[in-house]
Amino acid sequence: MKIVKTKATVKKLMKELKKVKALKESMSGLSDDELKGLTKDFRARFEAGESLDKILPEAFAAMCEADKRVLGMYPFDVQILAGIALHQGYLAEMNTGEGKTLTATLPMYLNGLTKKGAILVTNNEYLALRDAEEMGPAYEFMGLSIKAGVKRDEDDRFENDEKKEIYAADIVYTTHSALGFDYLINNLVKSSEDRFLRPFNYIIIDEADSVLLDSASTPLVISGSPRVQSNLYESADFFVRTLREDEDYEVEEKNVWFTDKGLSYAEEYFGIDNIFNPKYFEIYRHLVLALRAHKIIEKGTEYMISETGEVALIDASSGRMLKGVKLRGGQHQALECKEQVEITQENRSMASITYQNFFSMFPKMSGMSGTIYDAKDELFEVYGKRVVVIPTNNPIKRVDCPDWFFSDSSKQFEAAIRLAVKKHETGQPVLIVTTMISDTEIISHLLVKEGIPHSVLNANNAFWEADIIKEAGQLGAMTVATSMAGRGTDIKLGPGVKELGGLAVIGVGRMLNTRDERQARGRAGRQGDPGYSRFIVSLEDDIVEKGTDPAKLKKYIDGKKKISDWRVKRIVNNAQRTNEEIGSTNRKTSKDYDLVLQLERKLMYETRDMLLDGGTLEKEKIKKIAEENIDAFLKQNNRLTTSDLNRYLLDNISYRMEKGTMYLNLKNKKQVKEYVLERVEESLAVKSKAIASENGMNDFIRVAALSAIDEAWIEQVDYLQQLQAAVSGRSSAQRNLMYEYQAEALESFRKMESTIKQNIIRNILLSEVSMDKKDRLHIILP
């Protein structure tokens, strides 16, 4: 049945598979040295112009043989099939336990032959380090270098030279967040020697649905120097607490906005005439942040108060507490104010990118997951990627039982425990999967009352999670986990377990999407093993409470009115469907917002690269920029005074005061412009004389220009982060949010361009420069 979904694609891949299999015997007959020597031959052929597609059958067959000799595992036909799909840029759905880790060695080896790098990313450090360590010997046997781009201790950072070594390797295993942050950091360096990334080539995304979908709505943001701490958080928080829903504000799903009455009230409260006037931007921004903090961002599901009394975010896809991660644009501080904990410093956003736009930068991108077909339409729309379903090596023997439906959570948990105890009494291992951390604690408490020893995994540490989840298939094991805990680690059955029916998965609560439920069921029945799964849901599931009017459900939950199973099923499934639609909409919105930043980012990063790679501004270009600055200054000052002109000269051209301005006819703008241009020429001549070297002068101009670009760009990124939050507060039927955001972002970009030009000239003309005895240039920027 699964093959039918993408039967035509699989049929095409089968043709390549036959070519690979036809070479199996000839490869097995080679000595180790002969097999290793093929890498040199493949590379020579590629460098001579032969395509990787042409080399694929031999390269795959060679790597299959290497996997067998070094790792003791020869890839199954379906793994080779998936490897071909990954090389061709598909997103491959492979059932849990079908061997995605070994599969990746084939396309990674083939694309590693190019000397341009092949990268595999997954969603936690444990998997990246495990896969690099386990698969590394096979790559090294074939003569390719391999590195892991993460460390076990997430607080332990790589030095710049270490990063250069990592990304120079033929094969790199890392996490999606580590790679994304490295990209942003690489574009903040001050010299070409500090860059450590080479141009992107080929990437495989493991657990692709988790990375490309579940993590896609939250951009990667690098924070820098703190901004001046605002004193508006408390007053905005107090104001929001006085508002009335449906009168002063309206809420719809994950959006909230002020009504006209609410805006009028705000203007009266703060004593202002028009809250949308740019000079009141900060007041409006803080009101939106406070409103979202109180009405949209949920305690217990999106954030929690840690043991140290701090607001800590929760990763929706894993349930993990995100250490050191804060909401951007002041939203985190608004939450802290709401919870009445110490308000931390609001940092400036220096660089930002979404996963959608980041991974779209790779010339060749592919991915694999056990549950990706359900999102095929969105993945094609956002990434232009097609999904192919790879058949399983053995028929699936897992028994997926129909859901049980209950009106309230007490009956739901009672049924789950009763079922778990029944399975446990036979010795069958049981994995109870929940949607929330709090539910794991409830289940654990109930199991303690039953006297059943068990392990609890609520996604706090990926390393020990993996060690525990490995044992979940042993005889008599009882494990309670959040849906994403230990994801990527196979649960292998212990002795005697197959005869008892394999691992039993009991899901408690309707999950955020159908993909998560398939992932949970897929824990059992790996590689043709027997298994069992059943989900037990109720009207008190978190996803139902979020998406349904509680008043309508209360009579059923309290037992005052009976409700049929089919009606509960309809309500619960509709809530999940609504949540999936909201998630998809949020990801699209996030991408649309970042698209504006992406266009600007591309232009700025290209300009930075030009300067870092030795490019500079010619003298005529500098004079042209100076002339544009002077024109802008004169346009802004129609009634120019001597004081205005002297101030401009001191701030932009020279710290040396001259009396020449006293004799100018300030109404003659042409004369004034010529005078200022002469001062520009004089200042440039002074710098040239001090440096006394064309190369030195070029280096100085490069540093001055980079500094001006970086300072303005950081301000722009930070402003757009704030603008995004502020614009979201205008969500009403009469407004086109994206149009407003794009219009204001464009206006901001134009101002930034003007600021850059002004600061380039200022940095060049007002800097202090000197050469030491060893002819080294010293620069003190203004």
Side-chain angles (χ1 to χ4, degrees):
M1 179 182 171
K2 291 191 80 177
I3 309 175
V4 174
K5 293 177 181 175
T6 50
K7 187 175 181 181
T9 305
V10 170
K11 196 173 180 180
K12 289 178 187 174
L13 298 174
M14 285 286 191
K15 292 178 181 177
E16 290 297 314
L17 171 63
K18 287 176 183 176
K19 294 178 187 176
V20 175
K21 288 188 69 179
L23 297 166
K24 182 177 179 181
E25 282 190 28
S26 61
M27 291 296 172
S28 65
L30 297 177
S31 67
D32 282 358
D33 287 340
E34 287 172 331
L35 185 60
K36 293 176 185 178
L38 290 176
T39 296
K40 189 176 179 181
D41 294 342
F42 294 150
R43 281 187 153 161
R45 285 163 57 184
F46 176 76
E47 287 165 9
E50 194 169 342
S51 71
L52 289 182
D53 290 347
K54 195 84 179 289
I55 299 169
L56 184 149
E58 294 165 81
F60 268 44
M63 195 63 200
C64 284
E65 184 62 27
D67 285 339
K68 177 187 172 186
R69 295 186 191 185
V70 180
L71 308 176
M73 299 180 287
Y74 192 95
F76 298 127
D77 286 1
V78 292
Q79 290 175 311
I80 299 171
L81 198 70
I84 296 165
L86 291 172
H87 166 70
Q88 293 183 0
Y90 285 98
L91 297 173
E93 176 169 300
M94 295 180 72
N95 239 45
T96 302
E98 289 294 300
K100 293 189 286 290
T101 307
L102 186 65
T103 294
T105 62
L106 306 178
M108 288 291 280
Y109 170 71
L110 176 61
N111 286 274
L113 295 171
T114 63
K115 297 185 180 179
K116 295 178 182 177
I119 299 174
L120 186 145
V121 294
T122 189
N123 61 359
N124 68 55
E125 289 81 2
Y126 166 76
L127 294 174
L129 288 167
R130 181 201 71 179
D131 294 354
E133 186 179 318
E134 292 181 359
M135 302 297 110
Y139 295 121
E140 289 168 343
F141 175 85
M142 291 301 288
L144 297 191
S145 56
I146 174 174
K147 293 285 182 184
V150 291
K151 292 186 176 182
R152 184 182 180 93
D153 183 355
E154 59 188 32
D155 295 324
D156 192 5
R157 300 280 183 250
F158 287 110
E159 296 296 325
N160 202 280
D161 288 343
E162 291 179 295
K163 286 187 179 182
K164 281 185 183 177
E165 194 177 333
I166 289 166
Y167 289 111
D170 297 314
I171 308 288
V172 176
Y173 280 75
T174 187
T175 65
H176 56 311
S177 59
L179 181 63
F181 279 124
D182 278 347
Y183 167 74
L184 293 176
I185 293 167
N186 193 64
N187 282 286
L188 288 172
V189 299
K190 299 297 183 184
S191 70
S192 58
E193 292 76 23
D194 291 335
R195 287 184 298 192
F196 47 82
L197 280 178
R198 51 179 168 174
F200 292 144
N201 176 43
Y202 176 71
I203 191 166
I204 296 176
I205 304 169
D206 191 15
E207 305 295 352
D209 58 330
S210 174
V211 177
L212 297 178
L213 299 174
D214 300 331
S215 300
S217 293
T218 306
L220 295 165
V221 179
I222 289 182
S223 297
S225 57
R227 66 170 86 251
V228 176
Q229 189 72 328
S230 169
N231 59 2
L232 288 170
Y233 289 112
E234 288 87 353
S235 53
D237 187 80
F238 183 82
F239 171 78
V240 163
R241 290 176 190 270
T242 69
L243 300 178
R244 291 159 297 182
E245 187 169 352
D246 295 329
E247 284 190 40
D248 300 314
Y249 68 90
E250 292 180 14
V251 181
E252 183 180 314
E253 296 169 349
K254 294 295 282 183
N255 285 319
V256 62
W257 60 87
F258 289 102
T259 61
D260 290 340
K261 185 177 178 182
L263 292 172
S264 297
Y265 174 34
E267 288 168 348
E268 182 185 345
Y269 184 90
F270 287 94
I272 57 181
D273 53 358
N274 177 10
I275 200 165
F276 292 125
N277 187 311
K279 66 181 178 181
Y280 301 128
F281 174 80
E282 283 299 311
I283 292 176
Y284 180 69
R285 178 172 80 93
H286 280 77
L287 292 180
V288 171
L289 294 174
L291 191 62
R292 287 181 58 81
H294 279 273
K295 307 302 175 185
I296 295 295
I297 305 172
E298 297 180 56
K299 186 176 182 179
T301 56
E302 294 177 73
Y303 75 94
M304 60 186 284
I305 305 301
S306 70
E307 294 176 358
T308 57
E310 297 173 316
V311 170
L313 300 184
I314 298 172
D315 184 344
S317 66
S318 69
R320 283 192 184 87
M321 188 169 72
L322 297 168
K323 295 177 183 176
V325 179
K326 292 184 178 182
L327 291 170
R328 62 198 189 282
Q331 188 65 73
H332 206 86
Q333 287 69 27
L335 279 178
E336 290 167 335
C337 193
K338 167 194 170 186
E339 295 296 338
Q340 298 181 340
V341 300
E342 184 182 351
I343 299 177
T344 58
Q345 188 72 50
E346 183 186 349
N347 287 337
R348 200 178 297 275
S349 297
M350 296 176 65
S352 170
I353 194 168
T354 60
Y355 285 120
Q356 291 107 315
N357 285 323
F358 177 61
F359 287 119
S360 296
M361 293 166 64
F362 281 81
K364 280 181 69 177
M365 183 262 275
S366 59
M368 50 187 178
S369 170
T371 52
I372 205 166
Y373 185 78
D374 295 333
K376 66 183 186 307
D377 295 334
E378 183 179 347
L379 290 164
F380 182 74
E381 182 183 350
V382 175
Y383 298 97
K385 289 291 169 184
R386 297 192 182 278
V387 175
V388 58
V389 179
I390 304 298
T392 55
N393 190 48
N394 294 306
I396 297 173
K397 295 179 182 176
R398 184 184 66 243
V399 178
D400 294 327
C401 298
D403 296 346
W404 284 347
F405 298 95
F406 294 93
S407 59
D408 63 87
S409 58
S410 60
K411 293 174 186 170
Q412 173 189 24
F413 282 101
E414 184 186 332
I417 294 298
R418 199 165 57 243
L419 178 60
V421 169
K422 182 181 176 182
K423 296 284 183 185
H424 179 71
E425 286 173 347
T426 69
Q428 187 175 4
V430 177
L431 172 64
I432 302 177
V433 181
T434 71
T435 57
M436 299 172 66
I437 293 174
S438 56
D439 288 348
T440 64
E441 293 165 355
I442 294 170
I443 294 287
S444 177
H445 177 71
L446 294 172
L447 288 172
V448 168
K449 285 179 70 176
E450 294 288 336
I452 298 176
H454 58 280
S455 299
V456 179
L457 285 80
N458 47 23
N460 284 319
N461 185 300
F463 289 89
W464 60 256
E465 276 170 27
D467 290 336
I468 293 176
I469 207 77
K470 283 178 187 173
E471 304 304 314
Q474 300 303 308
L475 195 69
M478 177 71 74
T479 310
V480 184
T482 50
S483 58
M484 293 294 105
R487 182 170 178 175
T489 305
D490 278 352
I491 299 175
K492 295 179 181 178
L493 302 183
V497 171
K498 283 186 181 181
E499 293 74 13
L500 296 171
L503 176 68
V505 172
I506 301 172
V508 180
R510 180 59 80 233
M511 294 194 172
L512 294 175
N513 53 60
T514 53
R515 290 182 292 105
D516 285 354
E517 291 183 7
R518 287 183 58 208
Q519 185 77 30
R521 291 184 194 275
R523 293 292 202 177
R526 63 182 290 281
Q527 292 191 3
D529 286 343
Y532 168 96
S533 76
R534 186 187 296 276
F535 269 82
I536 304 171
V537 300
S538 82
L539 294 179
E540 288 193 283
D541 287 347
D542 183 58
I543 197 169
V544 181
E545 291 181 336
K546 277 191 213 173
T548 314
D549 183 359
K552 291 181 179 178
L553 302 179
K554 195 173 188 306
K555 56 190 173 187
Y556 302 119
I557 293 170
D558 292 345
K560 292 176 181 177
K561 191 172 182 180
K562 287 192 174 183
I563 185 171
S564 62
D565 280 2
W566 74 265
R567 183 89 187 279
V568 174
K569 178 180 180 179
R570 192 176 72 176
I571 292 171
V572 171
N573 289 350
N574 282 345
Q576 185 185 63
R577 198 173 303 112
T578 300
N579 185 75
E580 288 180 326
E581 289 167 359
I582 292 170
S584 180
T585 301
N586 288 343
R587 288 189 288 271
K588 186 178 184 305
T589 301
S590 179
K591 186 192 177 194
D592 289 343
Y593 275 125
D594 192 59
L595 189 60
V596 175
L597 191 57
Q598 181 191 17
L599 297 171
E600 297 181 9
R601 182 171 49 235
K602 185 174 185 292
L603 179 62
M604 300 305 291
Y605 285 178
E606 284 175 354
T607 304
R608 288 190 94 260
D609 285 342
M610 180 274 290
L611 292 167
L612 289 173
D613 290 331
T616 190
L617 299 177
E618 302 294 335
K619 186 178 178 182
E620 290 306 313
K621 179 68 173 174
I622 294 170
K623 286 168 65 178
K624 188 173 185 300
I625 294 173
E627 191 173 346
E628 289 177 24
N629 291 346
I630 297 164
D631 287 339
F633 165 70
L634 293 175
K635 188 176 179 182
Q636 291 166 5
N637 292 271
N638 283 325
R639 297 180 179 179
L640 188 64
T641 66
T642 302
S643 176
D644 293 335
L645 182 55
N646 284 336
R647 184 75 264 162
Y648 179 78
L649 291 169
L650 284 169
D651 288 345
N652 297 279
I653 311 298
S654 172
Y655 291 134
R656 191 178 64 190
M657 283 290 292
E658 289 191 11
K659 296 180 180 179
T661 54
M662 295 171 59
Y663 308 106
L664 286 173
N665 177 5
L666 298 183
K667 291 181 180 180
N668 187 334
K669 297 294 176 71
K670 184 178 179 183
Q671 186 184 10
V672 174
K673 181 177 175 179
E674 287 174 357
Y675 174 80
V676 179
L677 281 172
E678 284 173 15
R679 298 294 302 278
V680 171
E681 290 267 19
E682 288 170 14
S683 193
L684 275 174
V686 169
K687 295 295 184 294
S688 295
K689 186 177 179 181
I691 296 171
S693 157
E694 187 178 344
N695 286 339
M697 189 67 180
N698 285 340
D699 288 342
F700 162 58
I701 291 170
R702 193 176 301 122
V703 170
L706 269 174
S707 176
I709 288 168
D710 288 348
E711 186 179 337
W713 175 238
I714 288 169
E715 287 294 328
Q716 174 72 350
V717 171
D718 190 52
Y719 173 72
L720 290 182
Q721 294 290 337
Q722 297 175 58
L723 179 64
Q724 194 172 322
V727 166
S728 68
R730 304 176 195 172
S731 269
S732 66
Q734 291 79 31
R735 293 178 178 274
N736 183 325
L737 291 190
M738 197 54 60
Y739 175 79
E740 292 192 18
Y741 176 77
Q742 289 171 348
E744 293 188 35
L746 180 59
E747 179 62 25
S748 171
F749 185 72
R750 285 174 180 152
K751 287 178 183 176
M752 182 195 71
E753 286 183 308
S754 177
T755 302
I756 288 174
K757 288 176 180 178
Q758 185 177 332
N759 287 344
I760 284 175
I761 300 303
R762 188 171 181 275
N763 286 350
I764 291 172
L765 301 183
L766 296 182
S767 291
E768 292 182 29
V769 294
S770 60
M771 303 294 290
D772 63 17
K773 292 178 181 178
K774 294 182 179 179
D775 282 338
R776 290 178 301 198
L777 178 64
H778 294 271
I779 305 167
I780 302 176
L781 293 168

